[in-house]
Amino acid sequence: MRIITGSARGAKLKTPKGMDTRPTADRVKESLFNILGGRVAGCQVLDIFAGTGNLGLEALSRGAAAAVFIDRATADLIKENAAHTHLSAQADVRRGDVFAGLSRLAADGKQFDLVFCDPPYHKGLWERALAFLDASPLLTARAIVVIEHGVDENDIPPLQSLSLRRNQAYGRTTQLSIFQKGFEEAQP
């Protein structure tokens, strides 16, 4: 696994041993960032269930202003990867429960333009996180939320402010769903 482009292009990221963390494959990440295009530059990024920090670090490498990473088990690994890619100054790495972390960020008045959510599959975590984000003040007016989930996990919770913009399977196991706040209003 590596940073694809930007200031840290080619830097290899460390991954944890074992199967508890499932990093986003390079081809899926490349496709995602092609979809996002220039919208990453200058963004405030939130990477939850961050694992290796792969997605948030790629965003920073591509010009995002700052990123907050939350993961219960891999905070030290994310810090190592941020240091290795020379992106530590823009990376705020937090260890702990994602939902408690989201509540703290909301209480602190933080807002994000781009959110990556890549939890373990088949545990109901992405649905819970999406519903939390939809109802919280954490998202800017045109925020984008990217969810990586299993291809057989398609029960989107009821949403008030986010709309599904894109849903695409990659192979037989991975699917990306991209939601945007204010997306319906922006359509011609």
Side-chain angles (χ1 to χ4, degrees):
M1 184 176 35
R2 63 185 172 79
I3 299 294
I4 296 168
T5 197
S7 65
R9 181 180 182 191
K12 292 188 179 189
L13 301 177
K14 291 183 180 181
T15 59
K17 293 183 182 3
M19 293 301 293
D20 290 339
T21 300
R22 173 202 29 77
T24 301
D26 281 350
R27 73 178 186 86
V28 175
K29 181 172 67 169
E30 187 167 13
S31 177
L32 168 61
F33 279 93
N34 285 340
I35 292 166
L36 294 173
R39 288 175 280 205
V40 174
C43 279
Q44 295 293 321
V45 175
L46 176 61
D47 191 346
I48 56 176
F49 303 101
T52 61
N54 185 16
L55 296 175
L57 291 171
E58 183 73 38
L60 289 174
S61 180
R62 291 173 183 247
V68 174
F69 300 82
I70 305 173
D71 199 291
R72 178 187 304 267
T74 61
D76 291 339
L77 178 66
I78 297 166
K79 287 178 185 177
E80 282 183 54
N81 283 334
H84 177 67
T85 56
H86 307 289
L87 297 167
S88 294
Q90 299 139 281
D92 176 1
V93 181
R94 300 174 182 213
R95 176 187 310 278
D97 176 75
V98 165
F99 299 100
L102 290 173
S103 294
R104 278 191 296 278
L105 289 169
D108 291 343
K110 301 289 187 187
Q111 285 201 308
F112 299 93
D113 307 297
L114 178 59
V115 179
F116 297 113
C117 176
D118 184 10
Y121 293 176
H122 304 103
K123 296 189 182 229
L125 295 170
W126 76 265
E127 298 94 334
R128 185 175 165 206
L130 184 63
F132 185 102
L133 290 165
D134 181 65
S136 81
L138 287 169
L139 302 178
T140 61
R142 302 276 294 147
I144 295 171
V145 177
V146 178
I147 308 284
E148 185 174 334
H149 57 91
V151 294
D152 56 346
E153 296 182 282
N154 291 305
D155 294 331
I156 298 171
L159 302 172
Q160 304 254 330
S161 66
L162 289 166
S163 300
L164 181 64
R165 178 174 170 202
R166 188 177 186 127
N167 190 344
Q168 186 168 343
Y170 293 86
R172 293 188 304 212
T173 58
T174 300
Q175 186 162 309
L176 287 181
S177 294
I178 301 174
F179 297 83
Q180 187 168 355
K181 195 169 180 183
F183 180 65
E184 290 178 336
E185 297 82 15
Q187 297 305 302

